[in-house]
Amino acid sequence: MGFAALLAAAGLSLAGCSEVTNAVDQTNRAATKVSACAEALSLVDLNPDPATLKERAADKEKRLRELANNVGEKDVAGALTGMADSYLQAQKENIQDAGKVADWTKRNLDRIDALRKVCA
């Protein structure tokens, strides 16, 4: 086999490696997105207990921000940050009032819906 043929074969091998690397990167990004979405949806409070919501909100906010920082897609990161902001709001408000809990829950449900859409 001539030198030119060896170079051509090596070039084809490298091109194949690049395609494999791209496919692996895409798969890893998709797995990260799915993992982040699944974890975020498991964190949310659909029927929050006012007695524990405020104390648990800081941990949930922190974890949602970590997920947002680690996911590669801007839409998903934005939705995760929106949910984190919701838990920050829960920390700042007097969330013991049933009316405020209801208002917070409605806003949170809107943010959950936005997350579900970008995670689909």
Side-chain angles (χ1 to χ4, degrees):
M1 186 183 259
F3 185 69
L6 279 174
L7 285 177
L12 287 176
S13 293
L14 291 176
C17 288
S18 175
E19 290 173 8
V20 169
T21 300
N22 287 340
V24 168
D25 287 347
Q26 288 177 353
T27 301
N28 286 340
R29 281 193 298 272
T32 300
K33 174 183 172 181
V34 168
S35 175
C37 289
E39 184 174 346
L41 291 171
S42 74
L43 288 171
V44 299
D45 290 306
L46 298 175
N47 189 14
D49 176 7
T52 60
L53 176 61
K54 196 168 189 171
E55 68 187 45
R56 295 174 45 199
D59 290 335
K60 291 182 183 220
E61 176 205 359
K62 178 183 175 194
R63 184 61 189 141
L64 288 165
R65 291 198 194 284
E66 289 170 352
L67 291 171
N69 289 334
N70 292 329
V71 74
E73 293 190 27
K74 289 181 182 180
D75 291 346
V76 176
L80 291 167
T81 300
M83 290 189 64
D85 290 344
S86 177
Y87 283 98
L88 177 62
Q89 183 180 23
Q91 294 171 62
K92 291 180 178 181
E93 288 184 8
N94 180 7
I95 207 78
Q96 301 299 320
D97 181 340
K100 288 193 179 198
V101 171
D103 290 343
W104 180 86
T105 301
K106 184 194 177 319
R107 288 189 308 268
N108 206 32
L109 287 173
D110 291 342
R111 290 179 173 143
I112 293 167
D113 189 43
L115 178 64
R116 284 184 178 143
K117 286 178 183 174
V118 296
C119 286

